[in-house]
Amino acid sequence: MKIVACYSNKGGVGKTATSVNLAYSCAMDGYRVLLCDLDPQGASGFYFRVKPSRKLKKQAFFKDVDCFTGAIRASDFENLDLLPANMSYRDFDIFLSRMKNSRSRLKKALKSVKNDYDVLILDCPPNISLLSENVFRVSDRIVVPVIPTTLSERTLEQLFGFFREKKYQKNKLLPFFSMVQRSKKLHNETMVRLKKKYRKFLQKSIPFSTDIEKMGLHREPVLSYAERSAAAKAYRKLWREIRREMDL
């Protein structure tokens, strides 16, 4: 089972939209996919019209295998299951800080489903925490949405700096540009500069698009209700790049 995290230490950059569309795209390719929502806002579950389990709370996520697997829900799409988040996830760092091997507990929890899925996609909350360190350790690749602006550039530098400091594998990080507006000079200049600085930048970028914003109305991936749109085509090409990076 390959694990792909969609992560950024900055909020509002398109992590959940990316997670949902990558999971859908992966399932379209015939892989068995589990989308695991780690963000207490639970937006992935909302997009798929799936309600979270009331039993999967507090330490149960990390300690109770039956409760963990029992909380997995089927989506309306073939090959695609979902583990929706609930508000108790906001206390994950408190639970983890009280456990032994607090930086590898997520790996242990996910081990229970490794024979059931080909690809597991993690939709991560926007912070650097014990949970995110678990994500950094367990993931095969970490895709990082970056809006081509000064503030996003700064948070990307912070993320690479954290990886250097903690000696995590920097080659796991796969940044890509998100919410790109080619009409803006700042976006174009920032993209040129960052691609020179970070060689692992994925080639495909995701445009700013009203089709993506409408995911909240349709409550399904943009690839499902607007498959011919520029945004949907961009997500498909982005997934293909990621798939090649993982030799899938």
Side-chain angles (χ1 to χ4, degrees), residues 161-179:
F162 187 79
F163 267 63
R164 279 194 299 272
E165 178 187 336
K166 296 292 185 178
K167 296 184 170 51
Y168 291 136
Q169 297 177 42
K170 286 188 294 182
N171 62 355
K172 289 185 177 181
L173 294 172
L174 298 175
F176 69 95
F177 291 112
S178 176
M179 300 183 184

Side-chain angles (χ1 to χ4, degrees), residues 24-227:
Y24 180 84
S25 195
C26 182
M28 284 177 64
D29 284 348
Y31 296 103
R32 298 169 299 164
V33 182
L34 175 62
L35 173 57
C36 181
D37 191 354
L38 296 175
D39 191 329
Q41 296 181 56
S44 286
F46 174 80
Y47 281 143
F48 281 109
R49 304 172 187 264
V50 175
K51 293 182 178 179
S53 167
R54 294 182 178 181
K55 296 180 179 178
L56 190 63
K57 292 184 176 179
K58 301 182 178 180
Q59 293 94 334
F61 185 97
F62 300 102
K63 288 186 173 180
D64 190 332
V65 171
D66 290 338
C67 194
F68 180 93
T69 54
I72 294 173
R73 302 285 185 261
S75 76
D76 292 335
F77 305 101
E78 190 175 0
N79 293 328
L80 178 52
D81 290 344
L82 185 73
L83 182 58
N86 61 60
M87 284 301 289
S88 74
Y89 287 22
R90 70 187 189 280
D91 295 324
F92 267 1
D93 265 31
I94 297 173
F95 307 143
L96 287 168
S97 66
R98 296 170 180 166
M99 296 177 183
K100 291 182 179 178
N101 303 317
S102 61
R103 287 175 173 77
S104 57
R105 297 298 303 203
L106 182 62
K107 182 178 182 179
K108 189 174 181 180
L110 300 181
K111 192 176 179 181
S112 61
V113 296
K114 73 173 186 178
N115 293 324
D116 299 321
Y117 298 99
D118 303 308
V119 179
L120 196 157
I121 293 180
L122 302 174
D123 181 14
C124 304
N127 48 40
I128 293 182
S129 61
L130 269 177
L131 177 63
S132 51
E133 288 195 70
N134 274 264
V135 169
F136 300 157
R137 285 169 179 257
V138 73
S139 301
D140 294 292
R141 291 291 185 274
I142 303 164
V143 294
V144 186
V146 180
I147 301 174
T149 61
T150 307
L151 199 56
S152 288
E153 181 176 354
R154 179 174 176 270
T155 54
L156 184 63
E157 289 173 355
Q158 289 174 335
L159 181 60
F160 271 91
F162 187 79
F163 267 63
R164 279 194 299 272
E165 178 187 336
K166 296 292 185 178
K167 296 184 170 51
Y168 291 136
Q169 297 177 42
K170 286 188 294 182
N171 62 355
K172 289 185 177 181
L173 294 172
L174 298 175
F176 69 95
F177 291 112
S178 176
M179 300 183 184
V180 173
Q181 297 181 70
R182 292 285 185 182
S183 59
K184 291 186 175 180
K185 184 180 179 183
L186 173 65
H187 280 206
N188 292 319
E189 291 178 347
T190 304
M191 290 172 72
V192 171
R193 185 171 62 253
L194 288 183
K195 281 193 173 181
K196 286 182 180 176
K197 186 173 182 179
Y198 301 102
R199 294 182 179 179
K200 294 287 286 185
F201 243 100
L202 295 173
Q203 291 300 308
K204 194 61 200 174
S205 59
I206 304 299
F208 182 86
S209 168
T210 54
D211 288 320
I212 298 174
E213 290 181 317
K214 289 178 181 175
M215 281 176 61
L217 297 176
H218 292 277
R219 297 186 67 179
E220 56 186 287
V222 67
L223 279 154
S224 174
Y225 63 83
E227 62 178 332

